[in-house]
Amino acid sequence: MATKKLDKGKPVAKIAEVKKPAAKRKPVRDKGAPAKYPRHAVEKALRIPKAILEQNAGRACTVKEAAAFLGVGEAGPFQTEVSSGIKYGFLDRPIAGQVQVTDRAKQILRPQDPEDRLLGIRDAVLSSPIISDVYGHYRGEYMPESQFFHNALTDTFGVPADKVDEFQDVFLESLRSAELIAETDGKFRLLDVASSHDKQPGNTATFKKLDKAVKVESGDSCFVMMPFASPLGDYYSKVYKPAIEKAGLRPVRADAEIFATGKIMDQIWSGIHAAKVLVAELTSRNPNVFYELDLAHALEKPVVLICGNEMDVPFDLKHIRVIYYDTSDPFWGNKLMDKVAENILSAIANPQEAVLRRNAQ
C-alpha cells in the first residue's frame, strides 16, 4: 500500500479512498416471442372496433387515432389489444400503421339478425390461433384435470408455461361468450358446435393438422370394442368403421373380421395385441367391452373412449379423454365420425392422453 512521511519521519498508511458502490443495473426482461393466441377474451377485444365504429364511422384510421378515441396511449398494452383484435378477425390493416373494422366485428356490434352476434363471436373464437386448436382438440369432451390440461397446453399447443394461467382465463371466458362450454359440478364440457363456415361435415382443421403430422403404416389396425346387438352394434358400420378408415387404419371387430375356428378370446387377444390404437364404446356398460378394455389397458395400448351416457363411464376412467355424443342431435353421426377419426390420430400422436396411467389405478 502506498505511504507518505510525516514531519517526524514516521511512515503511515495512506487512507484508501472509499468508492461508491456501482449503481445496480435494472434486469433486462426477456419479453420472448409475441403470444400466438389473443391475449384478451373475445368480448374485450371488441373495445377498439366499437370505438372506431362510434367515433370514426368504421373508417380506417391510424393506431394513434384509434387510441385517442379511447383516451389511452398508443404504446404497450394498446398495441397488445390491437393484436388481439386482429387475431379474432375484428380488425385488419389496410396499410402499415392503420387499422380498420372488419365485417365480422360489424356483424357483432351492429347485428341485423338476432343470431348475428352469437354467430360472429363463435366465428371469431373458432378461427383464432391456439384457442381454436384447443377447442377442436377437446370439443365434445370434458376438459381434462388441471395438471393434465396444463401439460397439454405446453407440450401439445406450445403455450409458454408462464402464460398458461392467462391462456386458460382467456380461453374459458371466450368460450362462455360463444356459448361453446357447459359447466356441470365444476367440470367444463366443450360443446361440439360448428361455425357458420363449417355447416357441411368433412375434414376439420384439427383433422387436417393431425393427418399431416401422424404417420400411419399400411396395415396398421384399429380394434373396436363394442356390443354387437342393435342399436349400438349398428354404429360399427355407420360410424366407427368409416371413421377408422378415414384416419387411414384398418378397422377390426371380433365378430366380423377375426372370428374363426378356435377360441374367440385367443382371437380377441391377438386383435388387441396387434392394434395400433383401439376404440371402446362404453354405452350400456357391456361386460365384454370392459373385459377387453382391461386387456388393452394391461398392454398399455392407446384407447379412444366413446359414450352416449356420461353415467356409463366408470369413475376411474374419467381422467382419460372420453368422446360424448347425443343421438338427439340430428347431426350426431357425422359429428361423431369426424371426432373419432381425429381422436384416433391424436391418440397415436399423443398416447399419454389415451393410455391408462399405472399411477392412476
Side-chain angles (χ1 to χ4, degrees):
M1 182 178 291
T3 61
K4 67 177 182 179
K5 293 183 179 180
L6 299 177
D7 292 341
K8 294 182 180 180
K10 293 182 179 180
V12 295
K14 183 179 180 181
I15 299 174
E17 294 181 1
V18 178
K19 294 184 179 180
K20 294 181 179 179
K24 292 183 178 179
R25 286 187 177 183
K26 292 182 179 180
V28 178
R29 292 183 179 179
D30 182 12
K31 296 181 179 180
K36 294 181 180 179
Y37 60 89
R39 295 187 63 187
H40 297 77
V42 66
E43 296 270 11
K44 295 178 181 177
L46 286 164
R47 188 175 76 130
I48 297 174
K50 182 179 180 182
I52 296 174
L53 274 175
E54 292 177 347
Q55 300 187 50
N56 199 46
R59 295 187 297 268
C61 62
T62 65
V63 173
K64 185 176 182 179
E65 290 170 335
F69 295 151
L70 290 167
V72 299
E74 63 176 302
F78 188 77
Q79 294 288 343
T80 303
E81 193 172 343
V82 169
S83 176
S84 292
I86 292 173
K87 289 182 172 72
Y88 283 119
F90 296 152
L91 297 170
D92 60 23
R93 295 186 183 274
I95 60 174
Q98 287 193 351
V99 290
Q100 70 180 11
V101 181
T102 65
D103 289 341
R104 177 180 291 167
K106 293 176 183 177
Q107 174 186 347
I108 297 169
L109 296 169
R110 294 183 177 175
Q112 304 297 311
D113 185 90
E115 292 186 351
D116 278 354
R117 178 176 174 81
L118 177 59
L119 292 177
I121 289 177
R122 281 184 176 174
D123 282 350
V125 170
L126 297 180
S127 63
S128 60
I130 310 300
I131 291 177
S132 60
D133 293 336
V134 177
Y135 168 81
H137 189 73
Y138 291 110
R139 79 183 194 284
E141 306 175 24
Y142 282 100
M143 287 174 56
E145 296 173 13
S146 178
Q147 175 191 346
F148 304 124
F149 189 50
H150 184 288
N151 294 341
L153 291 178
T154 55
D155 298 342
T156 304
F157 301 102
V159 178
D162 62 338
K163 297 292 185 185
V164 165
D165 290 341
E166 176 189 72
F167 177 85
Q168 287 180 332
D169 291 342
V170 170
F171 181 73
L172 291 175
E173 188 174 341
S174 295
L175 262 62
R176 288 191 186 100
S177 297
E179 298 181 16
L180 292 172
I181 194 167
E183 184 175 0
T184 305
D185 297 329
K187 297 192 303 179
F188 296 103
R189 181 177 174 184
L190 306 192
L191 306 180
D192 190 355
V193 177
S195 72
S196 62
H197 300 301
D198 295 321
K199 293 180 180 178
Q200 299 299 324
N203 291 350
T204 64
T206 302
F207 179 84
K208 291 175 182 177
K209 289 180 181 178
L210 287 167
D211 195 35
K212 289 182 180 178
V214 175
K215 185 177 181 181
V216 176
E217 302 288 349
S218 175
D220 282 344
S221 64
C222 175
F223 188 85
V224 182
M225 301 172 285
M226 65 182 300
F228 300 151
S230 184
L232 290 173
D234 298 337
Y235 299 170
Y236 178 70
S237 59
K238 295 178 180 178
V239 177
Y240 301 139
K241 187 173 186 289
I244 294 166
E245 291 173 341
K246 180 179 178 180
L249 288 87
R250 178 172 59 87
V252 177
R253 190 173 73 160
D255 68 323
E257 278 79 13
I258 66 173
F259 183 80
T261 57
K263 295 180 180 179
I264 183 62
M265 284 313 304
D266 290 342
Q267 304 282 340
I268 291 173
W269 173 259
S270 298
I272 293 174
H273 192 274
K276 190 176 188 70
V277 64
L278 300 94
V279 165
E281 167 61 85
L282 305 182
T283 310
S284 78
R285 290 201 173 200
N286 182 282
N288 292 332
V289 171
F290 279 91
Y291 178 76
E292 294 168 21
L293 182 59
D294 285 343
L295 295 178
H297 283 158
L299 291 171
E300 296 189 343
K301 291 282 187 174
V303 183
V304 175
L305 303 180
I306 307 166
C307 195
N309 180 8
E310 184 182 350
M311 299 304 295
D312 286 338
V313 180
F315 174 79
D316 58 353
L317 292 181
K318 289 188 176 181
H319 68 281
I320 305 177
R321 293 177 65 186
V322 181
I323 302 173
Y324 293 96
Y325 61 89
D326 179 4
T327 55
S328 66
D329 181 342
F331 305 107
W332 75 272
N334 285 326
K335 287 182 179 180
L336 182 58
M337 188 189 307
D338 289 342
K339 185 62 178 172
V340 170
E342 289 175 16
N343 279 34
I344 287 171
L345 294 179
S346 182
I348 297 172
N350 308 289
Q352 70 278 1
E353 294 185 338
V355 173
L356 183 68
R357 291 173 288 274
R358 291 189 181 278
N359 61 3
Q361 293 180 347

